[in-house]
Amino acid sequence: MDNKDSNNTNDLNKSPNEGPTVSSIPNYIKKPLTSSNSLPINGMNVGSLPSSPNIIRNIQTSALLKNSPQLHRVFSELRPPSPSLSITRPVYNVDEFNKNYIPNEIQKTTKEKFKSIAPDFSRKAWISRMKGCFPISVWIPQYNIRQNLIADIVVGITIASFQVPQSMGYALIADVNPVYGLYTAFFPALMYLIFGTSFHSSVGPVAIVAGLMTANIIVDVSADIGLDYETGDTTNVIEGFEGIQTIDIAVMISMIIGLYLLILGCFRLGFISNYLSDELVSGFMTSAAIHVFTTQIRYLFGVELKNRSGILAVPLVYVEFFGKLKSVNLTAFIISIICVSILLIFKLGIERLFQKMGLKLPFPIHLFIMIGGCIASWLMDLKSEYDISVVGNIPDEFKSPTFPKFILFKYMWHRCIPIAVVSYILTLSVGRLYANKHNYKINANQEMVALGICNIWSSFFMSLASCASIPRSSVQESGGGKTQIVSLVNSDLPKCVLASCIACALASIFAKFQEFLNFWRISKLDGVSDETGIWLITFLSVVILNVDYGIYCGFGCSLLLLIYKSQRPKTYSLGSVDDSDIYVPLSKFKRAKELEGVKIYQFCGPLNFANVPYFKKELQIRSGVDVTAIKEEMLAMTPSTSCFVFTETKDYKAMTEKYLEHKKNLPKYIIIDCSMLSYIDTSGVTELKKLVQNHSDIDIMIQLTGCPVHIETVLKRDGFFKEVSSDRVYKSVHDAISFIRQSESTIGQPIQNLDQNNKRLFPRIVSNMSLDSLASSYNGILMDDRNDMKTPDSPKSIMRNSPRNSPQLNRSISMDFNHIHYQCSPQLNRSTRSVTFSDP
């Protein structure tokens, strides 16, 4: 291999003849740039690097470097050269490499294979399983009371002050008694303490799950069984459902999603969360926040609105609201404005001031707003005097455990699937966020089991569906909470006050619009709009259609996009950089040169039955070779008296060479770089065989390079090397190029005058010369004294089964006027052979 200096990406994109030179830099700039310290890198001294303090102190230099990109290039030239790379080795194909470096072929016996998948019933394995099922048994013995207990108690009290008003408000969204929200704030946390694996997740009611999605299911099921959702009238209820109330439907939702999650967790199906992209979750949560805010309009403005669900529910609510603007309760509206203003002032101003002062725990303003609202409602008698809707009496004790109404299961089982998925995704997202931040691991399957048990357990205590809350978990983490012990420490109220608290709590979710703006900005930079598309589709589907339909649409689009990308991965045409062993995409690097007579094709993805046609089409476009069209043209040139068109006769070979001579744009070699192949199946292997055979028929050689070990294994298993000689598969692109250069003196050299603007405009295979002109010269081809000419590496030898010896890298080439002599030194057979070719 030739000795070449290694280059970084910036060097590859530089144009060597633009900008100022080192000599043109003023001395007052050059002096601080060249003043340097000798720094060791990786244990060796690579030279003098610029001293950054001198550069920073020189204001003029910094300004010039900032405003002149060309000076940056000159500055890089002042740096010492990179370490050189010098390697001498034979040109390796797969067969010779495996002979010299024998691979480890481990063959497991049937007993060993069965043992690897058989369950372990030893005592140690059972103890490990029990600890996995009860994570509290792992961390509670290691709990540091002196360091963690006080912090956990303080943070727990703080979260409780936030959770009380939030839980009541989320129950208000579902249009059930707010006391059930308080139950949901207490019971699920007890079970998560035992079964959860995240130290910072605060499990309880969430606006999207316990409020919005629960409310939608309650509305739909109430309509199915004939229950009046707004008044609770059971007159028209179908037989067998006379005693059903809306809270029974809400409790059954918690039970069903708990069963779903528990079953899926036991079957270790937590990986399904990997198929829900961040864009889908972000778009869903933002649109769901709009749903939640829409449900609170009636309380913020004191307007009576219908409870709606299904397609176009959100737009219809706003249409009805704007039609009833004249009936707005001004007192409720003023109270809402006062409460929202106070909350925003504390959230955006005072809390940030507290944080600058070093106070991590936020001020529980929500709790004080609730207390103030209750006092104002009692003193001013807002319910009777101003027609303000109030929460009502809240029981001061827990109810006895009761069984959920399983008679509702047949009306609810399919409607609870989206809410189960959303609750799990929210819980897992929160857990992973803080686990990565604090350097501990969470178990996705155990999180699914823990959330399922939490919902099943709490459903016996009249609780709503629960999951991890992002705002409360953020308070728990930022306040210094260490473990799940935080979860253990945990009237005449106007509904407009609760609605104000909910509206302000949604501010953090509405802030996810910033994520959409980031996706949009990235899309404009790189021309890719996949993330933006998924976000918009999910957002609009949830707002226009419904929550469950929105989840299905977003999930379906994510899967379709995943399938599309796997079927149409990136492909590139590669070229050599400065005639070195580095091969990069021609369209990405200015200094990359295409090689004469060689096309290098790189396929970045799996090669399977689904994308084989795409692989073949891209190869045809990037190589400029349409085998079918070429064969049709050659068929038209073949004499009508011939019975066999494509046979290895001297006449046919002479015609083929003459054809390729006139087809100047056709390569003689096509290299398929397999280094980026992640997977190949039987259909892919079969297609590679066909490509090698078809291109061999028109005297174009296909070589494979850089095959990973697992790709080599599949090729060998599917009989690829039985039909294609293994010495046509090289370990790297440069091995194949070196072999080509040593075999043919005029092929494989860089094309110097390549038009950079037309690198991707691959020429068509039809040349300017007509078929008639080729046919007219056919007789002259047969008389040409080139019948015995045969290159040492003819593509016809590809399909032979007998192994061939690859030549060494070093060869001596001598040339006279009449003959070309190749002196070859085979690697395995040390005897010298000489091949003489007649030069026309």
Side-chain angles (χ1 to χ4, degrees):
M1 184 180 296
D2 299 334
N3 299 340
K4 296 295 175 185
D5 294 337
S6 60
N7 301 299
N8 54 30
T9 304
N10 293 329
D11 295 330
L12 300 183
N13 282 311
K14 290 191 308 183
S15 178
N17 297 319
E18 62 181 14
T21 61
V22 177
S23 60
S24 64
I25 304 178
N27 291 329
Y28 71 90
I29 299 177
K30 188 186 301 183
K31 183 176 180 180
L33 291 178
T34 56
S35 60
S36 58
N37 298 321
S38 182
L39 300 178
I41 297 180
N42 294 333
M44 64 178 179
N45 191 329
V46 297
S48 299
L49 299 178
S51 177
S52 56
N54 291 333
I55 299 176
I56 296 173
R57 285 194 294 266
N58 193 317
I59 301 176
Q60 290 180 308
T61 302
S62 300
L64 286 173
L65 290 176
K66 180 178 180 180
N67 298 323
S68 178
Q70 293 178 341
L71 287 180
H72 278 285
R73 184 181 64 82
V74 178
F75 172 72
S76 64
E77 292 179 0
L78 291 173
R79 295 175 180 171
S82 301
S84 297
L85 183 66
S86 178
I87 298 175
T88 301
R89 64 170 177 82
V91 173
Y92 280 126
N93 57 42
V94 171
D95 186 52
E96 293 172 355
F97 184 85
N98 290 338
K99 288 179 180 178
N100 290 342
Y101 306 96
I102 301 175
N104 293 324
E105 297 183 359
I106 302 176
Q107 297 291 339
K108 291 185 177 181
T109 62
T110 304
K111 182 178 179 181
E112 291 175 341
K113 293 179 180 179
F114 177 78
K115 186 177 180 180
S116 62
I117 62 175
D120 188 358
F121 295 102
S122 63
R123 180 176 178 273
K124 184 178 181 180
W126 278 110
I127 293 176
S128 178
R129 292 192 187 99
M130 294 301 295
K131 288 183 178 180
C133 294
F134 299 92
I136 190 175
S137 63
V138 177
W139 62 266
I140 201 66
Q142 304 173 0
Y143 185 79
N144 192 321
I145 298 177
R146 180 174 299 178
Q147 294 182 1
N148 301 336
L149 183 59
I150 296 178
D152 286 342
I153 293 175
V154 172
V155 175
I157 295 174
T158 304
I159 292 178
S161 65
F162 282 95
Q163 198 162 4
V164 168
Q166 285 184 354
S167 302
M168 296 174 65
Y170 299 155
L172 191 66
I173 298 173
D175 206 13
V176 298
N177 195 309
V179 69
Y180 300 116
L182 295 179
Y183 296 163
T184 311
F186 177 74
F187 288 105
L190 294 178
M191 288 295 103
Y192 191 81
L193 171 71
I194 300 174
F195 296 97
T197 59
S198 174
F199 296 148
H200 298 91
S201 294
S202 177
V203 176
V206 176
I208 298 175
V209 174
L212 173 63
M213 301 186 75
T214 297
N216 289 340
I217 296 178
I218 290 176
V219 172
D220 294 338
V221 175
S222 298
D224 290 343
I225 65 175
L227 176 66
D228 191 329
Y229 173 76
E230 297 182 357
T231 63
D233 185 14
T234 59
T235 304
N236 298 322
V237 173
I238 61 178
E239 185 179 357
F241 295 88
E242 291 81 1
I244 298 297
Q245 300 178 0
T246 55
I247 185 59
D248 296 323
I249 302 175
V251 170
M252 193 61 194
I253 293 173
S254 180
M255 170 60 74
I256 293 176
I257 67 173
L259 290 174
Y260 284 163
L261 294 173
L262 180 60
I263 293 173
L264 293 176
C266 291
F267 282 97
R268 322 301 290 176
L269 298 179
F271 65 89
I272 61 174
S273 62
N274 298 331
Y275 294 95
L276 297 176
S277 62
D278 295 338
E279 299 81 27
L280 185 150
V281 175
S282 175
F284 169 77
M285 293 186 64
T286 307
S287 55
I290 294 178
H291 271 276
V292 174
F293 181 80
T294 303
T295 61
Q296 301 306 298
I297 289 180
R298 68 182 68 188
Y299 304 119
L300 291 172
F301 293 89
V303 180
E304 291 294 332
L305 300 175
K306 293 182 180 179
N307 292 306
R308 300 179 183 272
S309 66
I311 300 176
L312 298 178
V314 172
L316 291 176
V317 169
Y318 284 101
V319 170
E320 183 183 1
F321 168 71
F322 287 115
K324 294 183 177 181
L325 282 178
K326 295 182 180 179
S327 60
V328 170
N329 190 322
L330 293 179
T331 305
F333 180 61
I334 292 173
I335 294 174
S336 299
I337 291 179
I338 294 174
C339 294
V340 170
S341 300
I342 295 174
L343 289 170
L344 291 179
I345 290 173
F346 267 84
K347 185 176 184 63
L348 301 178
I350 298 178
E351 280 191 3
R352 293 183 179 180
L353 181 61
F354 287 165
Q355 291 177 358
K356 292 181 179 180
M357 297 171 58
L359 299 177
K360 295 182 178 181
L361 294 176
F363 186 78
I365 186 61
H366 296 78
L367 186 60
F368 284 91
I369 288 288
M370 288 183 58
I371 296 174
C374 291
I375 295 175
S377 177
W378 176 68
L379 293 177
M380 301 174 63
D381 196 9
L382 296 178
K383 180 179 180 180
S384 58
E385 294 292 335
Y386 299 96
D387 195 23
I388 300 294
S389 178
V390 298
V391 172
N393 294 327
I394 298 177
D396 57 357
E397 60 183 10
F398 293 122
K399 290 186 177 181
S400 301
T402 57
F403 277 93
K405 303 296 179 59
F406 281 93
I407 192 175
L408 296 167
F409 183 84
K410 63 180 180 180
Y411 293 98
M412 301 174 59
W413 67 269
H414 58 287
R415 293 188 170 102
C416 292
I417 296 176
I419 192 172
V421 173
V422 171
S423 60
Y424 173 65
I425 292 301
L426 292 178
T427 302
L428 188 62
S429 299
V430 172
R432 284 178 174 174
L433 174 65
Y434 296 113
N436 294 333
K437 185 175 181 179
H438 293 275
N439 196 27
Y440 64 87
K441 295 182 179 180
I442 64 170
N443 189 318
N445 292 307
Q446 183 60 28
E447 285 292 295
M448 186 175 280
V449 172
L451 191 59
I453 294 176
C454 288
N455 281 279
I456 293 174
W457 157 266
S458 59
S459 66
F460 290 98
F461 297 92
M462 308 296 287
S463 299
L464 307 178
S466 60
C467 65
S469 169
I470 297 177
R472 292 196 303 270
S473 300
S474 177
V475 172
Q476 177 172 330
E477 188 271 339
S478 62
K482 303 298 182 181
T483 63
Q484 292 99 317
I485 294 295
V486 174
S487 303
L488 190 61
V489 185
N490 265 326
S491 96
D492 288 328
L493 176 63
K495 291 185 178 180
C496 60
V497 175
L498 275 180
S500 301
C501 295
I502 295 171
C504 292
L506 295 174
S508 61
I509 300 180
F510 281 121
K512 288 189 174 292
F513 271 112
Q514 181 64 36
E515 296 183 4
F516 169 72
L517 297 178
N518 292 335
F519 296 145
W520 180 264
R521 176 179 56 82
I522 295 174
S523 299
K524 290 198 301 181
L525 289 177
D526 61 8
V528 180
S529 58
D530 299 335
E531 296 83 0
T532 307
I534 293 177
W535 198 99
L536 279 176
I537 291 174
T538 306
F539 176 84
L540 295 176
S541 299
V542 173
V543 172
I544 297 175
L545 301 178
N546 202 359
V547 177
D548 49 355
Y549 294 144
I551 282 288
Y552 296 147
C553 288
F555 183 67
C557 289
S558 296
L559 287 182
L560 289 176
L561 180 61
L562 183 64
I563 295 172
Y564 176 81
K565 285 187 174 181
S566 66
Q567 287 185 344
R568 302 178 67 85
K570 293 288 186 180
T571 62
Y572 297 104
S573 294
L574 303 185
S576 175
V577 178
D578 294 339
D579 197 20
S580 67
D581 62 335
I582 299 177
Y583 298 87
V584 295
L586 294 170
S587 59
K588 301 294 184 180
F589 297 91
K590 295 181 180 178
R591 293 171 62 175
K593 300 293 183 181
E594 190 173 17
L595 304 181
E596 180 70 33
V598 180
K599 296 289 185 179
I600 307 175
Y601 171 63
Q602 186 180 66
F603 190 78
C604 307
L607 180 57
N608 50 46
F609 67 94
N611 60 14
V612 160
Y614 175 75
F615 173 86
K616 183 179 179 181
K617 180 180 178 181
E618 285 292 301
L619 176 62
Q620 174 184 325
I621 293 174
R622 296 194 173 275
S623 65
V625 178
D626 188 340
V627 177
T628 303
I630 292 175
K631 286 187 176 182
E632 289 177 356
E633 292 189 27
M634 296 176 67
L635 179 63
M637 296 165 49
T638 306
S640 58
T641 57
S642 175
C643 297
F644 302 97
V645 178
F646 297 107
T647 57
E648 246 193 280
T649 63
K650 294 182 179 181
D651 294 347
Y652 173 74
K653 182 170 181 59
M655 182 187 68
T656 302
E657 292 177 351
K658 188 67 176 179
Y659 179 85
L660 294 178
E661 180 181 349
H662 290 292
K663 298 289 187 179
K664 298 296 184 181
N665 57 330
L666 291 180
K668 189 170 183 180
Y669 293 89
I670 297 177
I671 297 175
I672 301 178
D673 181 16
C674 303
S675 60
M676 302 297 289
L677 284 184
S678 58
Y679 168 75
I680 188 171
D681 64 358
T682 302
S683 299
V685 176
T686 303
E687 184 61 32
L688 287 179
K689 295 177 186 177
K690 291 180 180 179
L691 288 173
V692 172
Q693 176 64 69
N694 292 335
H695 284 76
S696 177
D697 289 340
I698 60 174
D699 206 30
I700 294 178
M701 179 185 295
I702 286 186
Q703 297 174 333
L704 305 183
T705 65
C707 293
V709 176
H710 62 278
I711 299 296
E712 289 184 18
T713 303
V714 177
L715 293 177
K716 182 178 180 181
R717 182 192 63 195
D718 291 350
F720 179 82
F721 295 115
K722 293 181 180 179
E723 302 182 27
V724 180
S725 179
S726 60
D727 61 358
R728 300 301 92 191
V729 182
Y730 290 88
K731 296 304 293 182
S732 69
V733 174
H734 198 62
D735 282 302
I737 295 296
S738 299
F739 183 84
I740 292 172
R741 289 176 176 176
Q742 294 161 9
S743 301
E744 309 207 23
S745 59
T746 61
I747 294 181
Q749 303 303 323
I751 302 176
Q752 299 299 330
N753 298 323
L754 182 65
D755 186 359
Q756 298 292 336
N757 296 325
N758 295 327
K759 282 183 178 181
R760 302 189 68 180
L761 300 177
F762 298 98
R764 298 174 59 87
I765 58 95
V766 181
S767 67
N768 295 327
M769 178 168 286
S770 63
L771 294 178
D772 295 335
S773 62
L774 288 174
S776 63
S777 61
Y778 178 69
N779 293 330
I781 298 174
L782 298 180
M783 300 301 296
D784 198 349
D785 187 19
R786 297 174 63 185
N787 296 336
D788 296 331
M789 181 177 181
K790 185 177 181 63
T791 61
D793 302 288
S794 172
K796 292 299 178 180
S797 63
I798 298 176
M799 309 308 297
R800 298 174 183 172
N801 296 330
S802 59
R804 299 169 61 247
N805 298 329
S806 285
Q808 292 281 352
L809 182 63
N810 299 322
R811 299 185 181 200
S812 60
I813 301 177
S814 60
M815 182 179 301
D816 56 29
F817 290 98
N818 297 321
H819 299 85
I820 300 176
H821 302 276
Y822 281 78
Q823 187 74 19
C824 302
S825 299
Q827 180 181 359
L828 299 182
N829 186 359
R830 296 303 176 184
S831 61
T832 303
R833 62 177 181 176
S834 61
V835 183
T836 302
F837 304 94
S838 299
D839 189 30

